[in-house]
């Protein structure tokens, strides 16, 4: 049996029956269920989708209501826990070491933590911060991350991340 952690892009397609990728997402989840595999989402994924609901007023309130009901009915949620900090910090440190801005002598600039907070953004590291949290949860629980995102930089510094592209 495998354990899968759904990224936001597949979870939102799964819960929204009118999403153009709904059938593909449903097919992936049904196939995993037939194999007795476990399917989870992270609290980060739920938060990202709720944020989207609040940010964008829906032109289709019934569609949004049904998607929200499907999301709230999904109970297999992995939380950020005390043990998430290790994989998160390991991956973030590896990303920083590999992709942080460097000076003319190829030394990493801004090595003091108080300057890194504002200067070394997720954009500079070539990641989305929430993807890093979701990947850390997948690693913490030894799960396969299911995403349509390539997550190239995270995979480059952390080849142990098991990633399945559900869109291919």
């Amino acid at each position: 049996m495998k354990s899968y952690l759904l990224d936001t892009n597949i979870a939102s397609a799964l819960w929204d029956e009118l999403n153009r990728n709904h059938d593909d997402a449903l097919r992936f989840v049904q196939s995993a269920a037939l194999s007795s595999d476990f399917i989870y989402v992270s609290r980060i994924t739920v938060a990202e989708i709720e944020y989207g609901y609040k940010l964008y007023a829906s032109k289709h309130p019934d569609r949004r209501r049904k998607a929200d009901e499907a999301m709230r009915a999904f109970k297999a949620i992995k939380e950020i826990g005390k043990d998430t900090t290790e994989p998160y910090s390991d991956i973030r440190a590896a990303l920083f070491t590999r992709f942080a801005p460097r000076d003319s002598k190829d030394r990493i600039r801004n090595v003091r933590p108080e300057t890194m907070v504002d200067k070394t953004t997720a954009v500079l590291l070539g990641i989305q911060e929430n993807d890093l949290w979701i990947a850390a949860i997948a690693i913490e629980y030894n799960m396969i991350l299911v995403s349509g995102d390539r997550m190239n930089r995270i995979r480059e510094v952390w080849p142990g991340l098991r990633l399945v592209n559900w869109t291919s």
Side-chain angles (χ1 to χ4, degrees):
M1 283 183 280
K2 298 174 186 166
S3 291
Y4 293 102
L5 184 66
L6 304 183
D7 194 7
T8 306
N9 51 54
I10 184 172
S12 61
L14 177 66
W15 295 330
D16 180 2
E17 293 178 354
L18 296 178
N19 184 298
R20 71 178 194 276
N21 296 316
H22 173 75
D23 290 341
D24 293 334
L26 186 59
R27 216 174 351 268
F28 181 90
V29 169
Q30 287 174 335
S31 174
L34 285 173
S35 299
S36 299
D37 295 334
F38 298 101
I39 303 289
Y40 298 91
V41 297
S42 72
R43 182 63 63 193
I44 301 299
T45 291
V46 173
E48 282 188 310
I49 292 171
E50 285 190 12
Y51 165 70
Y53 287 163
K54 292 173 182 174
L55 190 60
Y56 300 105
S58 177
K59 296 177 185 174
H60 309 282
D62 286 341
R63 175 183 178 181
R64 178 178 166 175
R65 181 186 49 73
K66 285 180 182 178
D68 188 54
E69 286 172 2
M71 178 180 73
R72 295 193 187 289
F74 197 91
K75 301 298 182 196
I77 298 174
K78 290 291 185 184
E79 305 289 347
I80 294 175
K82 63 180 175 119
D83 294 326
T84 312
T85 57
E86 186 172 347
Y88 173 89
S89 61
D90 288 344
I91 297 168
R92 185 105 163 101
L95 285 163
F96 180 79
T97 300
R98 181 77 178 265
F99 298 111
R102 297 182 179 273
D103 64 17
S104 60
K105 295 180 182 178
D106 201 35
R107 295 179 300 201
I108 295 173
R109 290 186 284 160
N110 303 321
V111 294
R112 292 184 1 205
E114 59 272 12
T115 61
M116 289 190 302
V117 172
D118 292 330
K119 302 224 182 234
T120 308
T121 65
V123 172
L124 280 175
L125 297 180
I127 62 165
Q128 290 186 354
E129 192 69 29
N130 286 341
D131 285 346
L132 177 55
W133 279 110
I134 293 168
I137 292 169
I139 291 165
E140 173 188 4
Y141 290 102
N142 195 28
M143 302 171 90
I144 300 166
L145 179 56
V146 182
S147 181
D149 299 339
R150 292 184 305 270
M151 298 193 191
N152 289 337
R153 290 232 170 143
I154 293 174
R155 287 185 313 138
E156 190 172 327
V157 301
W158 208 263
L161 174 65
R162 296 181 302 156
L163 184 68
V164 170
N165 187 329
W166 70 281
T167 62
S168 56

